[in-house]
Amino acid sequence: GKRTQLLKGLPATSTVEENSAAGVSVYNFNVTVSPLASGVAVLPTIINSNPLTEAFDIESKGGLEFRVITTGNPVLDYETMPKSFDLQIFVEDTAGRTDLNILTVQVKDKNEHPVFRGNVAIQTVTIYVLERTPPGRIYQADAVDPENVKLKYSLLPTTVPFSITKSGAIFSTKEFDYEKDPHCYFLNITVTDPDGLNSTETVNINIININDERPYFTTKQRIYRIPEEQSPGTIVANITAKDPDDEDSPSRLFYSIQSSDRHFSINPATGALQVTGRIDRDALPLRLHPNISLTVRVEDGLNSGHDTHEITIMIDDVNDNPPECNPSDFRKEVNENTTPGIFLVDLRNYCKDIDVDPSNNQFSFTGLSGFGSNNFALESTVSGRIVMTGSIDLENTANPGVEVYSLTVRVQDTAHPNYSSKYPLYTSFDNIIYIYIRIKPVNEFSPVFRNLSYVFSVSEITKVGSSIGRVHAIDKDWPPNVITYSIVAGAGNRDYTNIFWISPTKGDVRILARLDYETTQKHIFIIQASDQEKSTTASVTVNVLEVNDEEPVCSPNFFSLQIPVDLAVGTNINGFRIECHDRDSDPRSFRYFINEGNENSHFIFSPSAGSNTSHLILASRFDYESGLDTNWIYSLRVHITDDNLVSARDKTTHLIKTGTVTLSIRVIPNPTTATTTTPGFTVVTKRENLYSPSAWYVPFVITAGSLLLLGLLGHLGLLLLARLRTRGPPAGRARRTALINAPEKKKAKKDVVMTMTKINTVFDGEARDPVTGRMYEFNTRSGARRWKKSSEPLQPMLAMQVMSSATENSGQEVHRAEAPSKKEPSENKKELTAATKPAAKPQQ
């Protein structure tokens, strides 16, 4: 079911003292069920602990109150066990709501009594001391404190002839006489820690009489068989011997094991062979060599005769080890919608039973359980293979929506267990394996926008950075994927790369640049929603709403006028008019009024409203004689507003823009008019060109156009020069040749380079046109000609004089042409052309 807060008071941390008995309360908590539940379906249960332990359990206090208690098995030990345990507590109510929380239990240290080690810890040790033995050490007591502190040893009674050192060594303080001294002493060895806690054990000291006879063994058996894990103190065999010296008195023989062995000890007085240490058949070296050989020695005095006896003890295996799994918990991942039958984990590869005998190390897997266990199964109790039996679809509404399934499997011995020797409080032992299977989501669905397209209407004066709308996309995958929004196309123009921005996580659309209705009325761009693997797109249309945000722009915006003082009223001053335009207003929306400088209201604009053009009109005459007017220069500040079509009721809410025009009007007085001296002033207009990055093309176009125009003009000049040079021969050659020999003029081009003639409009020569026969006059220097009014024929003598004069003049001009002026090329060309066309038709 859906996870909710059912465990009140958790998570939490609590403490418990070590060595606490079973049933000690560790922590109390309550369960609160959801409103739709009638009670608790699954009581609070410890489903896991870290480290793994069964030292804790949960019991009900009545109603919905529960407490965590100790089980006493195992008993908590601060020195040998973990100091802290994390208990995972699970609960489920009848509505299917579940909760899982952690209780951390910390184990508190407790000062414990010192503990003796060795034989003295399990029995009363009897020490035999031969008479006549010099004083010396007779026994080494060994004790430890769980807190590992320094211990102090003492003996009671204090009157006995024995002492004990700081290290626990017991010394005799005298040489004993069997005939005079007591034959037995009982010593209480007390070990005390710094806090006064102590433990006491008893040691019996027997004084042994000396004799000279050699004892011998009466026991003939040499091989013994016992099962492993026998409790300390268990009698394995009774070894007996006799001393001929003791036939008529109780035996005073002394038994011992000649070779030291940690598994067995022998009663020095009785010869009883008993278990003193753990015998584990499954551990080395007994796992490989299960036989233990001992040499038992018997003697009737320290310096008298002795005898030895070789025995062999065979250790049999018992089923004392439960199967163990490492690790004891597994975490696996499987994709949703995986085909049933897929193999997940083989538990047998991780579990083993260390018992030596094959009949004792077989185990099986049973009891697959846990939330969602119906989707999984054990292939068999022997194999331990877990397989999927169902397909899990996280998007399916019938699915509980759980991503992690917690399963448990029980592993136990096949043969009848015998754990009592190792675990005295248990007759059976089951190992629990925890399997956590995470259903890995698969990205099956693409994000989907709620709308295929979005339309937002935005005022053109909306501030940059403002949100204009929000888009939203959903993803049917479970758990939901993180959707990222972006703009993939169309969010810019020629001036701005990005006009719009979208929040990658929220889908909030904002503007990054000022919108302008007059430039673009609609923006369309494409947005994308992506879950990192799959994506979808939608279109966004932003309709820009027009707002009156443009000021009227008028031409000219500054002008200087001069008017006579007696200008008639109603006159359009100097024909001046202003023409205005507004990108977002109708031409009829303009109103004109003079805001400043119109003293005595001499000037008005007509029309004052309803047109985009208006004329400056003189409204009243000037009156300087009476002193009414004193200002000869008027600086008018004209305001042009775009609210003429707005009703009076709407003007309070309508956005109104104002343009400004400045006029300077100088009144010119009549000569007889007495003028008032008015200081002159100079109007300085400063213009500054500012570069706009958005208008980069303006200087480029101007520069390119200028270069193209200069190139065109140069080309036309070259064509004109070439045409002028090819139209006629040099002037000098024309003067040397008769007028009728015009066809031979081409040969004279080699004689003259250039002539320079000063234009003279006096016609000092005459000639006859060979085509029409009419007479014409010409200027001998410039070559200019005209038809002669008189039709009289030219006299032969006069013709010769003319030719002679022309020849002389031509010779003089040749000398001048040797150094032509570089400053008058066009004039020279004109003179050259005129001089080389004597036969041209004169103007009428």
Side-chain angles (χ1 to χ4, degrees), residues 724 759 782 824-836:
L724 290 176
I759 298 175
S782 64
E824 298 175 350
S826 60
E827 183 179 351
N828 295 339
K829 292 177 181 179
K830 291 178 181 179
E831 293 172 356
L832 177 63
T833 303
T836 56

Side-chain angles (χ1 to χ4, degrees), residues 201 228 235:
E201 295 291 345
E228 64 172 326
I235 302 299

Side-chain angles (χ1 to χ4, degrees), residues 448-519:
V448 177
F449 281 102
R450 288 186 175 177
N451 300 325
L452 294 178
S453 62
Y454 293 85
V455 179
F456 303 127
S457 297
V458 185
S459 170
E460 65 175 324
I461 62 173
T462 302
K463 292 183 178 180
V464 173
S466 300
S467 173
I468 62 173
R470 175 173 292 183
V471 300
H472 183 71
I474 58 175
D475 193 328
K476 294 182 180 180
D477 285 306
W478 181 264
N481 294 318
V482 176
I483 297 178
T484 302
Y485 301 92
S486 61
I487 299 176
V488 294
N493 58 19
R494 66 178 185 181
D495 295 329
Y496 298 97
T497 303
N498 295 306
I499 300 179
F500 301 94
W501 174 85
I502 188 169
S503 171
T505 56
K506 298 180 179 179
D508 190 30
V509 181
R510 297 179 180 271
I511 58 174
L512 299 180
R514 184 177 178 272
L515 303 178
D516 187 7
Y517 175 85
E518 288 71 32
T519 302

Side-chain angles (χ1 to χ4, degrees), residues 214-500:
R214 180 180 177 181
Y216 62 92
F217 286 96
T218 59
T219 301
K220 304 303 181 182
Q221 185 177 350
R222 293 182 177 273
I223 297 177
Y224 300 87
R225 184 183 294 274
I226 63 171
E228 64 172 326
E229 300 292 357
Q230 294 298 305
S231 301
T234 301
I235 302 299
V236 177
N238 288 308
I239 308 298
T240 59
K242 284 185 177 183
D243 188 344
D245 293 332
D246 297 332
E247 291 292 341
D248 299 328
S249 62
S251 175
R252 291 177 291 180
L253 298 177
F254 183 80
Y255 297 90
S256 64
I257 297 176
Q258 194 169 23
S259 57
S260 62
D261 188 84
R262 62 186 179 90
H263 301 100
F264 302 96
S265 66
I266 194 167
N267 190 313
T270 64
L273 185 65
Q274 59 187 8
V275 177
T276 58
R278 182 185 175 191
I279 303 175
D280 188 358
R281 172 69 173 82
D282 308 306
L284 294 175
L286 295 179
R287 188 175 185 89
L288 299 178
H289 305 286
N291 300 327
I292 300 175
S293 298
L294 301 175
T295 300
V296 180
R297 177 187 176 98
V298 63
E299 55 190 344
D300 59 0
L302 296 178
N303 298 318
S304 300
H306 65 276
D307 191 13
T308 58
H309 184 62
E310 299 288 340
I311 62 174
T312 300
I313 303 172
M314 303 180 66
I315 310 301
D316 293 332
D317 183 44
V318 298
N319 187 16
D320 60 338
N321 290 294
E324 295 183 355
C325 300
N326 186 24
S328 60
D329 61 322
F330 297 85
R331 301 181 186 277
K332 296 293 181 179
E333 280 191 353
V334 61
N335 290 338
E336 63 172 319
N337 297 324
T338 299
T339 304
I342 186 173
F343 158 72
L344 297 179
V345 62
D346 190 345
L347 299 178
R348 179 163 289 275
N349 293 336
Y350 303 95
C351 301
K352 64 180 180 178
D353 189 328
I354 64 173
D355 285 316
V356 176
D357 195 329
S359 63
N360 295 328
N361 59 19
Q362 301 300 314
F363 53 88
S364 60
F365 300 91
T366 59
L368 176 65
S369 61
F371 184 75
S373 59
N374 58 314
N375 294 304
F376 308 92
L378 279 168
E379 186 179 60
S380 70
T381 59
V382 177
S383 70
R385 291 166 60 97
I386 296 180
V387 296
M388 286 191 67
T389 59
S391 178
I392 300 176
D393 184 4
L394 295 178
E395 289 78 32
N396 190 347
T397 56
N399 191 298
V402 176
E403 292 186 49
V404 179
Y405 291 83
S406 300
L407 308 178
T408 59
V409 175
R410 190 180 304 274
V411 55
Q412 57 190 6
D413 267 313
T414 303
H416 181 73
N418 183 16
Y419 305 145
S420 58
S421 58
K422 185 180 295 186
Y423 309 101
L425 299 180
Y426 283 84
T427 58
S428 63
F429 190 98
D430 293 337
N431 198 351
I432 303 299
I433 303 175
Y434 298 90
I435 303 103
Y436 303 98
I437 301 175
R438 179 179 179 268
I439 306 303
K440 187 177 180 181
V442 177
N443 192 358
E444 302 175 77
F445 301 95
S446 299
V448 177
F449 281 102
R450 288 186 175 177
N451 300 325
L452 294 178
S453 62
Y454 293 85
V455 179
F456 303 127
S457 297
V458 185
S459 170
E460 65 175 324
I461 62 173
T462 302
K463 292 183 178 180
V464 173
S466 300
S467 173
I468 62 173
R470 175 173 292 183
V471 300
H472 183 71
I474 58 175
D475 193 328
K476 294 182 180 180
D477 285 306
W478 181 264
N481 294 318
V482 176
I483 297 178
T484 302
Y485 301 92
S486 61
I487 299 176
V488 294
N493 58 19
R494 66 178 185 181
D495 295 329
Y496 298 97
T497 303
N498 295 306
I499 300 179
F500 301 94

